[in-house]
Amino acid sequence: MDANLTGQGNRVFVSYAHLDDELLNQAVEHFTKDLGSFYAAKTGGALDIFFDRESIGWGTDWRRRIDSELRGASIFMPIITMQYFNRPACREELNAFHASAELLGAGYLILPVVILGASGITADSQMPEVRLIESLQFENLEEAFLAGRGAREWREALSQITDKLVVTIARAEENLAKVESSESTLEPVESDEDFDLFQHFEELKQIGERLTPEMEESTRDLTVWCTVVQDEMQKFGATSPAALRAQSVVMAKAVQEPSLRLQSSATALAQSVTAADALLRSMVGQLVGVNTAHGAEMAEKIISDITQNSSNLQPFVDGLAEILEMLRTMEIMSVPLRKAIKPGRIGFTKLQDAMKIIEGWRGLSIR
């Protein structure tokens, strides 16, 4: 599935949590199939929908392909429930597509569809991905999915989404035609392309300068949080349920502020890493696309520079996963403790996301 910049429109990449499809008796899969049928009925054209991650065939360096896909008018459609935000692969896809779309000025190519939990999609959510979906003006299809395939609500929802797809694709193809037209003129465009690459390099350099202090701050906040939790846990003894509940309230007060700090610093780090990832892969893609030894050397140098201070982060990521499991036991002790821990859990999640992306840079290929 090689991406090219011409004639690859009408492609939709669906991102969803498999557990949601199972819960709704494969309704997500049925939705994507019916969407293709509605599109064909309304336009007479084909809509290539990529539904399973395993069948997309992007390989290990799929993030770098996003740039070409968006430039070619491909659409990213996350199928959202609140469970979507708990899945690392879903968060990874959403953040990667959004970062690249913002870089290209193509945010309109992301079309979120909420099928359950729309009331939880708010601008003041603690989860940054939830706030992102809210800002993208999602389509609420809860009634259609609850009604089920074949119901009137289902058909009306599909018709509505299809119309939005038609408008979005037309807009993307119009923009693509303008780009192709400018490239076919006799006016030189090399200077603009060089400027874009230089601008990307400057932006990447600025983000890179933030990464080290942000990493240090989030690591420090993680250490403080773990220390507070450990100290408070040691105060628990084999006493009555009432005494345990009282102690959990005391622990909640002690944990709340460190949890909020961890959430704040880890979220900032994850946002910087995601932005750097989009820039890095776009730059490498442009340089490799030149198909010269010099371009390849420059790409290798950029990769080397951004990864030179990073060691193997996998043990750290594994350690975070173990802590997240430990939190599950603590969260059932009391409501105050569960609320106090939640920001810390989000912070852990964002650290996991950031570490996974950074680790991926070490294996980034220019081929």
Side-chain angles (χ1 to χ4, degrees):
M1 192 184 80
D2 292 334
N4 72 63
L5 303 183
T6 59
Q8 74 156 37
N10 306 2
R11 290 153 71 99
V12 177
F13 296 91
V14 175
S15 174
Y16 71 104
H18 284 279
L19 290 177
D20 291 333
D21 195 37
E22 295 173 6
L23 171 67
L24 298 170
N25 296 319
Q26 285 68 55
V28 178
E29 182 176 2
H30 295 323
F31 172 76
T32 59
K33 289 181 178 179
D34 289 353
L35 184 62
S37 298
F38 267 70
Y39 185 86
K42 288 199 171 194
T43 68
L47 188 66
D48 293 331
I49 301 178
F50 295 86
F51 177 69
D52 287 323
R53 294 180 181 89
E54 292 78 9
S55 67
I56 288 178
W58 284 8
T60 58
D61 196 20
W62 61 270
R63 285 189 191 85
R64 201 173 78 196
R65 298 285 298 278
I66 293 175
D67 185 80
S68 294
E69 292 295 341
L70 290 172
R71 289 179 186 274
S74 294
I75 291 173
F76 178 67
M77 181 180 288
I79 308 295
I80 304 294
T81 72
M82 296 306 291
Q83 188 166 233
Y84 180 94
F85 305 106
N86 295 331
R87 312 304 296 177
C90 294
R91 294 194 308 271
E92 186 178 15
E93 291 165 353
L94 173 62
N95 287 323
F97 265 93
H98 180 254
S100 293
E102 287 292 290
L103 194 63
L104 297 170
Y108 64 92
L109 289 175
I110 301 178
L111 301 181
V113 172
V114 176
I115 61 174
L116 284 177
S119 62
I121 309 297
T122 62
D124 59 354
S125 172
Q126 290 180 311
M127 281 291 290
E129 287 81 8
V130 175
R131 298 196 299 271
L132 172 58
I133 293 299
E134 192 278 336
S135 71
L136 292 172
Q137 300 181 336
F138 61 89
E139 294 289 334
N140 183 354
L141 302 190
E142 281 200 45
E143 290 187 8
F145 271 76
L146 291 175
R149 190 183 195 186
R152 178 177 179 178
E153 295 89 342
W154 178 272
R155 295 193 299 271
E156 289 178 346
L158 277 161
S159 179
Q160 173 185 334
I161 292 297
T162 302
D163 289 342
K164 190 169 185 177
L165 271 175
V166 171
V167 171
T168 301
I169 289 172
R171 177 182 175 184
E173 291 181 339
E174 181 180 355
N175 291 339
L176 184 61
K178 290 179 181 178
V179 172
E180 292 173 342
S181 176
S182 66
E183 290 177 348
S184 65
T185 65
L186 297 178
E187 298 178 5
V189 296
E190 288 80 0
S191 58
D192 288 339
E193 292 176 348
D194 289 341
F195 175 77
D196 287 344
L197 186 61
F198 177 75
Q199 185 179 34
H200 283 9
F201 180 80
E202 287 300 312
E203 291 174 1
L204 183 62
K205 181 180 178 182
Q206 292 173 9
I207 295 174
E209 291 172 350
R210 297 202 306 263
L211 286 180
T212 297
E214 286 179 346
M215 178 72 76
E216 291 174 350
E217 182 180 5
S218 58
T219 302
R220 182 170 60 251
D221 290 341
L222 173 63
T223 302
V224 170
W225 190 93
C226 290
T227 300
V228 171
V229 169
Q230 185 177 18
D231 290 345
E232 292 298 319
M233 288 294 290
Q234 290 177 351
K235 298 177 183 178
F236 281 79
T239 58
S240 66
L244 286 173
R245 282 195 297 271
Q247 183 58 47
S248 71
V249 173
V250 173
M251 181 176 178
K253 293 180 179 179
V255 170
Q256 184 173 16
E257 186 59 31
S259 288
L260 290 171
R261 288 200 300 268
L262 176 58
Q263 178 188 21
S264 177
S265 60
T267 298
L269 173 65
Q271 290 173 341
S272 294
V273 168
T274 300
D277 185 68
L279 284 165
L280 174 64
R281 294 175 188 276
S282 177
M283 292 170 65
V284 170
Q286 290 181 48
L287 289 168
V288 172
V290 175
N291 198 26
T292 65
H294 181 60
E297 289 173 3
M298 288 184 65
E300 288 180 340
K301 179 65 166 57
I302 292 171
I303 296 170
S304 175
D305 287 346
I306 201 168
T307 59
Q308 64 180 348
N309 294 324
S310 66
S311 56
N312 188 345
L313 297 169
Q314 193 57 47
F316 184 69
V317 174
D318 293 340
L320 290 179
E322 293 177 4
I323 295 174
L324 283 174
E325 285 302 314
M326 180 193 72
L327 289 180
R328 298 185 187 280
T329 302
M330 296 170 56
E331 287 170 333
I332 66 174
M333 290 183 178
S334 71
V335 172
L337 184 55
R338 184 158 59 250
K339 289 184 176 180
I341 285 176
K342 184 177 180 179
R345 171 177 282 280
I346 293 173
F348 277 110
T349 298
K350 302 318 296 174
L351 275 176
Q352 279 186 311
D353 293 347
M355 295 302 102
K356 185 174 181 180
I357 292 174
I358 294 173
E359 186 66 20
W361 294 343
R362 296 170 59 81
L364 185 61
S365 171
I366 65 170
R367 304 187 187 284

